[in-house]
Amino acid sequence: MSFSMLRLAVLSVLLTSNINTVCAETDISSSIQPLAVHSLVLDSTLKADTAVAVGERGHLFIFDDNWLQRPSPTQAHLTKVYLLDGKLGWAVGHDATVLHTQDGGLSWQVQMSSPEIEKPLMDVLFFDELNGIAIGAYGMFYRSKDGGNTWEPEFHAELLFEEDIAYLEDLKAEDEALYLSERSTLLPHFNRVVQLDDSRLLMVGELGLAAVSEDKGISWQRLDFPYDGSLFNALVTSKGVYVMGLRGHLFKSEDGANSWQEIALPIQSTLNGGLIVDDNKIRLVGNAGVIIDVYHDGSVAMVAQRQGENLVTISRDTHGKQWVAGTKGFIELKQE
C-alpha cells in the first residue's frame, strides 16, 4: 500500500469505523432501511426548526419527534451536513459527493458525484444561498457560486510544506502528467472549516494543519499550531475557539486563533464532535464512547463512556434534547 493510500485508510478507520466504500448512485426507492437509525451516523446539525443527520451508505435523516430516515439519491457514505437556514442545506461525502436540499431535508438531489476521484469530501460551508466551499481528503477543495449547481476545483499550494513546493516545481518542469498526479496527494486532508466571529475562516486537518482565510477561502495563511497530529473538528463559542483531534488533544484560542493553549483531558480517545451547551460549557464526544464536558475556565468533567462504540457527533433536536451518534446510531443523552 502506498503512503498516500495508507493516509486515506487511516482517515477512513477513524471516521467510519472500518466500513466499506460503496458506489455513489442508487435507486431512491430502495434507499430506506428499517435499521438505518441504528447504523453509523457521521454528522448531525440543527438550524432554526430543522434537525438533520447523515451517515453511511447515503443515509439521510430528519427529526420529527424522533429520527426518521429520508430517501437518498446516493449510496456514498455521507460525512457532513450543513444547513444555511431551516430549508436550504448541503451534505457531502465519499466519491466527492454533494447533495442539496431545498425543503429542510425532506428531499435531496445530487449536485456533484465523482467516483473516479475516490476521495471523500469532509465538510461543506455556504456563506449565502449561492456561494459556498467544500473540502476533503488530500487537499480537495471546491467552490460554488451558484448554490452548488456547479463546482470548480481549487488547489491551495500555500498550504504545502516548503519541501513539497520545491519538489513540485522541479517535477512540473520535467513531467507534467506526473506533476499533476503527485500534486493531488501532497496536501494534507482538510477535515473541517468554520467561520470565526470576525468572518474569517478557520480550517483544520491532518498533520497539525490550522489555517485562516480573510477572503472566504480564496487564499490561506497557515498558523503556527502547537501540535502536528490530525485535527478533526473546531467549535466557535462566545469565549473562544476550540480545536480537537487525535488521542484526546484539545486546544483553545481566546485571541481569534492567534495563539493556542492545550487543555489537558483525562482521556486519550480521539475527539470527533462537540456541542455548545451554554456560555460556560461545551460537550465533546469521541472514540471509545467518550462524552466529556469542558468548561471555559479549563476544568473538565467526564459525563459518560459508552463501551463498544465510537461517538462521532452530538447535537440538539428541535425540542432541545441532546443526541449523540456514531457507530451504533442515535442515542438520546438524558439530561440531569
Coordinates of all heavy atoms in Angstrom, one line a residue, residues 196 198 200 239-241 252-261:
L196 N -15.2 32.2 11.8 CA -15.0 32.8 13.1 C -15.9 34.0 13.3 O -16.5 34.5 12.3 CB -13.5 33.2 13.2 CG -12.5 32.1 13.0 CD1 -11.1 32.6 13.0 CD2 -12.7 31.0 14.2
D198 N -15.2 37.0 13.5 CA -14.8 38.2 12.7 C -14.9 37.9 11.2 O -14.4 38.7 10.3 CB -13.4 38.6 13.0 CG -12.4 37.5 12.8 OD1 -12.7 36.4 12.2 OD2 -11.2 37.7 13.1
R200 N -13.6 35.7 9.4 CA -12.5 34.9 8.8 C -12.9 33.4 8.8 O -13.8 33.0 9.6 CB -11.2 35.1 9.5 CG -10.6 36.4 9.4 CD -9.3 36.5 10.1 NE -9.5 36.2 11.5 CZ -8.6 35.7 12.4 NH1 -7.4 35.4 11.9 NH2 -8.9 35.5 13.6
K239 N -16.7 32.5 24.0 CA -15.5 32.8 24.8 C -14.2 32.1 24.3 O -13.2 32.0 25.0 CB -15.8 32.2 26.2 CG -16.9 33.0 26.9 CD -17.1 32.5 28.3 CE -18.2 33.3 29.0 NZ -18.4 32.8 30.4
G240 N -14.2 31.7 23.0 CA -13.0 31.2 22.4 C -13.3 30.1 21.4 O -14.5 29.7 21.2
V241 N -12.3 29.7 20.7 CA -12.3 28.7 19.6 C -11.6 27.5 20.1 O -10.5 27.5 20.6 CB -11.7 29.2 18.3 CG1 -11.8 28.2 17.2 CG2 -12.3 30.6 17.9
K252 N -7.4 25.5 22.8 CA -8.3 26.7 22.8 C -7.6 28.0 22.5 O -6.4 28.2 22.9 CB -9.0 26.8 24.2 CG -10.0 28.0 24.3 CD -10.5 28.1 25.8 CE -11.5 29.2 25.9 NZ -12.0 29.3 27.3
S253 N -8.2 28.8 21.7 CA -7.7 30.2 21.5 C -8.7 31.2 22.0 O -9.9 31.1 21.7 CB -7.4 30.4 20.0 OG -7.0 31.7 19.7
E254 N -8.2 32.2 22.7 CA -9.1 33.3 23.2 C -8.8 34.6 22.5 O -9.3 35.7 22.9 CB -9.0 33.4 24.7 CG -9.5 32.2 25.4 CD -9.3 32.4 27.0 OE1 -8.7 33.3 27.4 OE2 -9.9 31.5 27.7
D255 N -7.9 34.5 21.5 CA -7.5 35.8 20.8 C -7.6 35.7 19.2 O -6.8 36.1 18.5 CB -6.1 36.2 21.1 CG -5.0 35.1 20.8 OD1 -5.5 34.0 20.2 OD2 -3.8 35.2 21.1
G256 N -8.7 35.0 18.8 CA -9.0 34.9 17.4 C -8.1 34.0 16.6 O -7.7 34.3 15.5
A257 N -7.6 32.9 17.2 CA -6.8 31.9 16.6 C -5.4 32.4 16.4 O -4.6 31.7 15.6 CB -7.4 31.5 15.2
N258 N -4.9 33.4 17.1 CA -3.5 33.8 17.0 C -2.6 33.0 17.9 O -1.5 32.7 17.5 CB -3.4 35.3 17.4 CG -4.1 36.2 16.4 OD1 -3.9 36.1 15.2 ND2 -4.9 37.1 16.9
S259 N -3.1 32.6 19.0 CA -2.3 31.7 19.9 C -3.2 30.6 20.5 O -4.4 30.8 20.6 CB -1.7 32.5 21.1 OG -2.7 33.1 21.9
W260 N -2.6 29.5 20.9 CA -3.4 28.4 21.3 C -2.8 27.8 22.6 O -1.6 27.7 22.8 CB -3.4 27.3 20.2 CG -4.0 27.7 18.9 CD1 -3.4 28.4 17.9 CD2 -5.4 27.6 18.6 NE1 -4.3 28.7 16.9 CE2 -5.5 28.2 17.3 CE3 -6.5 27.0 19.2 CZ2 -6.7 28.2 16.6 CZ3 -7.7 27.0 18.5 CH2 -7.8 27.6 17.3
Q261 N -3.7 27.3 23.5 CA -3.3 26.7 24.7 C -4.0 25.3 24.7 O -5.1 25.2 24.4 CB -3.7 27.4 25.9 CG -3.1 28.8 26.1 CD -3.7 29.9 25.1 OE1 -5.0 29.9 25.0 NE2 -2.9 30.7 24.5

